[in-house]
Every structure is written in structure tokens, then in C-alpha cells.
Amino acid sequence: MLQLVPVYSQYIDECKRHNALDFDDLLAYGVKLLKARPDCVDCQHVFVDEFQDTNTVQFELMAKLAGKNGNVSIVGDPDQSIYGWRSA
């Protein structure tokens, strides 16, 4: 097995050192923020393209952004799903 733990640990350390977030962090911290501060959302409508490739965290972020209005429009094509193997 490759020794990924040291590489990943170094990656996390470098992200912290540069005050950087990767895509997964942006999603996770976005959901965390909107759970803690739902009042900071003022979206009238949320539009999601490529919905067929939305994962659970992205769906939760979409729902939080929709806020009280719950106005969401989605576009997706299951025949174009690139993540069908993970039930996205």
C-alpha cells in the first residue's frame, strides 16, 4: 500500500500554512456556516446545472442556500452522469 498518510498530512499542513481551502473544504465549510448562520442567506432563487452529478454535501449546500424560500431549479441528464458508480 502506498504511504498516503504522510502525503495527505503534508497537503493539509500546506493548505493551513497558506490559509487555503480545497473544493471539498469549501463545500463543508459552506454547509457549516449556513447551518450556524441561516440568517446570512438572502437568495431569491437557486439554479443548479448538472444536477445529476450532485453529491450529498452539494445537495445540502444547495438546500441551505435556498433558505426559507426553497426556490430551486435544477437541470440534469441522467444519461450524462459521470458519477453513476457512486449513486450520485
Side-chain angles (χ1 to χ4, degrees), residues 2-57:
L2 295 174
Q3 295 183 4
L4 294 178
V5 173
V7 173
Y8 186 71
S9 294
Q10 184 179 0
Y11 170 74
I12 295 299
D13 291 342
E14 286 297 309
C15 285
K16 287 179 182 176
R17 190 166 74 84
H18 293 283
N19 201 24
L21 299 173
D22 63 16
F23 184 68
D24 290 335
D25 291 337
L26 291 171
L27 294 173
Y29 283 115
V31 169
K32 184 178 178 179
L33 169 67
L34 296 177
K35 280 182 177 179
R37 294 282 315 277
D39 57 305
C40 72
V41 177
D42 189 22
C43 295
Q44 296 299 311
H45 202 94
V46 175
F47 182 82
V48 179
D49 193 13
E50 301 296 335
F51 186 76
Q52 74 274 4
D53 296 322
T54 302
N55 65 30
T56 305
V57 176

Side-chain angles (χ1 to χ4, degrees), residues 41-47 59 62-74:
V41 177
D42 189 22
C43 295
Q44 296 299 311
H45 202 94
V46 175
F47 182 82
F59 182 85
M62 176 200 70
K64 296 294 181 195
L65 286 171
K68 296 176 193 169
N69 292 333
N71 295 328
V72 178
S73 295
I74 62 170

